[in-house]
Amino acid sequence: MINLLNSFAEVWMEYFGYAILQNTLFLAVIFLALYYLREKSARVQYAVAALGLIKLLIPPFMPFTIREAATAASSVGSVAVGDIAITPANITVSAPSLSLGSILLLLWAFTAILMLSATLVSTLKLRWYLRKAQFISRNEIDGKTVDIFRSENISVPMSVGLFPNKVYVPELWDTLSAELKHSLLRHEVAHIKRKDGILGALQTLAQALYFFHPLVWMLTGKANEFREMACDDMAVDNSDVTPIVYSRCLVHVAEHMLPSWSCSSASTLIKQKNKLYTRVNYQVKDKKMKKLNKNKSRLIWTLLLVLIVPLSWYCKQPDAVAGLKNKDTGKIYGKVIDETTGEALVGANIIVLNTSQGAASNEKGEFFVSELKPGKHDIRCSIIGYSEIVISGIKVENRKSTALNFKMKPAAITAEKVVVLAKPNSISMLTSPEKTAEPEDIEENFIPYDTPPLPIGGQAAIAKNIRYPKKEMDAGIEGNVLVQAYIDIDGHVKKTKVLKGVSNTGLDKAAEDAIKKVKFTPAKQRDKDVEVWVTIPVQFKLDKPEKKVKFIPYDQPPVPIDGTNGISKYIVYPKKAKEAGIEGTVVVQAEIGVDGLVKETIILKGIPNSGLNEAAKKAIEQVKFYPAKQRDKDVAVWFTIPVEFKLDNKK
C-alpha cells in the first residue's frame, strides 16, 4: 500500500506541479484583465474572475513531450501501468516508507478535505438555524416564483443551496418600504437566476484544492465582491428604485446587522461594512463608465479562452508510442540495479517468456522491449551472480509503455560470481580507479533464450584458468571486471569485450583470457541450441591472511634488558620514509623465548611500502629481554610492542 502511495504521489507531484505553474500564470493574466476592467461593469469583472476560478478545476489535458522514456522510470522496483505504479511483492525486500511526495500528498488531501468539510458543516448549520423560519408569502419576481421566509437568526437577506427557490429575510424586513423590499428580493432572485449557488460551490472547491495559493484567495475575495455588485445592478435595473436609494437601503441593513452565528466578531462586522462601502461606491458611479465596448469585450474573452489551451499541457511519456513500428503493440522499459549496492547492472537479460523477444540492460542498467502484443506477459530477469527474478502477469496495452524495474539480489549458492584469490608476496596501499568501457549498444547484442549458457565445471572452471597478474598482485590491486562473452551453439567463446573493468591494470585481460579458455553448455531456446551473449562478473581479490593476536598467559611480562632504549638504539629511520615525510606507529607482536631472545615477529598494524615495518621488526629482533615469568618460572610468550616513528630528529 505504501509503495502504491509513493508511486501515485510521484505522478501526482509532477501532474499537480504543472497545474500549479500553469494556473499561476493564468491567474496573473486574470488580474491584469481585472485591472484593465476596474471601471467596467461588475458582471464583466465577475465573469472574468469566474473564468479564472473555473480554470483551476480544469486538469492539464494537452499532451506535450519534453523528456525521454528512460528517465520516466525513476521508482526502482515498481511496475507502472499507464501513469499508476504498483510494487509487486516478489521484488520488495525491505519495509517501505513514505516518501516526501507521499507526505505532501497526504497533507494536501487532508487540508482540502478539512476545508470542504468545514464548508459542508457551515451550510448544514445554517440550514439548522433556518429550520424555524416563518413563511411570509410566495412572490413572482422577474419571472421567477420564490417563497419568502422570515428568520430571527440572520441579519441580511439570503438564499441557500445549489438550486434554491426560497429567500430568507431578517427581522427588520417589516421596517423597509415596499420599493426597497422589492429591490432586495430582486437581488436574491438575481443570485438564483444566475446559478450563483453552483458557481459558489465550484469556487469553494477551487479554494480547497489550492488553499496554499495566495492568488486563489485574492481572486475568490474579488469574485465575492463582483458577484454581489452584479446582483445589485440587476436589482436596480428597470426599477423605480434609484442606485442612491438602493445604496441607502444597503446601509440601513448594515446598521442593523446583529452578531449572530454568521457574524460573531467585530472584525467580521468591519469586513462586511468594508465590502458594503465597495458596493455603495460602485452603485453611485456613472453608468456610462461601466459600459465596455463590444469589440474590446470579444477580444478579451477570445484571448483568455485561447490562453487556456497552452496553459493546460502535461508531460506525455514519449516512449508510449515512440519506437513502435506497429502501433497496435506496446512496450516495456525499466532499469536493473544491484539490491545491495544500488548500482546499475549492465548486461542483465530481460526475456518475455513464451516469446522470442527480450533485451539486455545497457551500461546505465536500462532496457527497452518494444513491439509486444497487448495482453499479460511473464518477464524474467537474469544475470550471472544474481538470483533470477520472474514477474508474472505484466499487462501491456496498445500504444502504451509499462515501467518495470528490477532489484537483483546477489546469489548465495548458485550462479556465484567468479572470485579469484591470490596470495601476494607483498601488499601495498596502492589503488586503481575503476573504468567503464564505452561498449556498443548492448541491446543490439541481445539474443533471447530460455536456458542460459553455463560453464562446464561451474564457476570454478573460470576461476582456475585465471592468472592474477603479478604486478597487480604485488601492488595489492583488487577489483571487479564485467565481461560480455559471445557463446556459440558448440559452447565455445567466440569473442569477448569488457563492459566494466579496472583501468590501467592487467585484470581486464586476465578475465577475458580465462573466459575464452572455458567451454560452456550452449544456451537453449525452445529446446534448440542458440548463440547468445552472456555477461560474466569476475572479482579479483587478494587473499589476505587473518592476523590473529597470539596470547600465552604470564604473571610478569618480558622486559628489554636495556629498557625502551634497548629497542630505540637499534631502530634506523628508513631514508625513503624520511624523504617522503612518512610518520606513524607500527605494532609488532614478538615471540620471546625463555632465554630472552626474539624468536619470531608479526606486524599487526603497519605502514606498507614505507620501510617502517621492516625497520621496527629488525630492531626488535636484535633486543634481548628478561624472559616472562609464570609462577616464578621463565616462560615463552607473545608480546605486543608499539613502535612510533616521528620526524623530530630523534629515534
Side-chain angles (χ1 to χ4, degrees), residues 91-102:
I91 294 182
T92 304
V93 294
S94 58
S97 59
L98 287 176
S99 64
L100 176 61
S102 296

Side-chain angles (χ1 to χ4, degrees), residues 24 32 78 129 179 235 264 313 332 344 365-366 400 476 528 626:
T24 300
L32 287 175
S78 68
Y129 277 104
E179 292 79 5
S264 58
W313 53 265
I332 291 177
E366 300 165 347
K400 289 188 178 180
K528 182 180 178 181
Y626 293 112

Side-chain angles (χ1 to χ4, degrees), residues 397-634:
E397 300 181 45
N398 280 347
R399 303 170 64 86
K400 289 188 178 180
S401 292
T402 302
L404 177 63
N405 302 323
F406 293 91
K407 284 184 178 179
M408 303 299 289
K409 192 172 185 179
I413 300 175
T414 61
E416 293 181 346
K417 290 181 180 179
V418 179
V419 180
V420 183
L421 296 178
K423 295 182 179 180
N425 298 326
S426 63
I427 303 174
S428 70
M429 298 295 288
L430 296 177
T431 60
S432 178
E434 289 187 347
K435 74 168 184 179
T436 301
E438 297 292 340
E440 302 170 5
D441 187 358
I442 296 176
E443 189 172 359
E444 295 178 359
N445 293 336
F446 175 77
I447 300 174
Y449 56 80
D450 298 324
T451 304
L454 296 174
I456 297 175
Q459 307 301 326
I462 300 176
K464 73 178 182 180
N465 283 295
I466 293 181
R467 299 294 177 261
Y468 208 125
K470 187 175 185 306
K471 179 182 176 182
E472 283 69 24
M473 186 190 305
D474 293 340
I477 296 175
E478 301 177 330
N480 297 318
V481 179
L482 200 60
V483 180
Q484 193 177 46
Y486 186 74
I487 316 295
D488 65 13
I489 59 176
D490 295 324
H492 295 115
V493 178
K494 290 299 183 182
K495 50 185 175 180
T496 61
K497 63 179 177 181
V498 175
L499 299 180
K500 185 178 181 181
V502 184
S503 60
N504 301 322
T505 70
L507 300 185
D508 296 1
K509 188 175 186 305
E512 285 189 281
D513 291 344
I515 292 173
K516 289 177 180 178
K517 296 177 182 178
V518 177
K519 188 173 182 180
F520 290 73
T521 57
K524 290 185 179 292
Q525 184 183 28
R526 298 176 183 175
D527 297 326
K528 182 180 178 181
D529 293 343
V530 292
E531 300 178 343
V532 297
W533 283 91
V534 65
T535 305
I536 304 170
V538 179
Q539 180 181 9
F540 288 85
K541 188 175 181 181
L542 292 168
D543 188 12
K544 302 174 183 177
E546 184 180 359
K547 298 175 182 177
K548 295 183 179 180
V549 179
K550 300 179 181 181
F551 175 75
I552 298 175
Y554 54 80
D555 299 325
Q556 296 180 11
V559 179
I561 291 177
D562 296 329
T564 55
N565 289 332
I567 299 176
S568 61
K569 72 180 182 180
Y570 292 112
I571 290 180
V572 178
Y573 211 117
K575 183 178 179 181
K576 67 177 182 178
K578 274 186 180 181
E579 293 174 349
I582 299 175
E583 298 180 333
T585 299
V586 178
V587 181
V588 182
Q589 191 176 47
E591 183 185 14
I592 301 172
V594 294
D595 54 1
L597 299 178
V598 177
K599 306 298 183 182
E600 186 181 353
T601 57
I602 297 174
I603 300 294
L604 296 181
K605 181 181 179 183
I607 306 172
N609 292 335
S610 65
L612 300 183
N613 295 357
E614 292 75 12
K617 288 180 64 174
K618 187 175 181 180
I620 291 174
E621 288 170 354
Q622 298 179 62
V623 177
K624 189 169 182 180
F625 292 77
Y626 293 112
K629 290 185 177 294
Q630 185 182 33
R631 298 176 185 176
D632 297 325
K633 182 180 179 182
D634 294 341

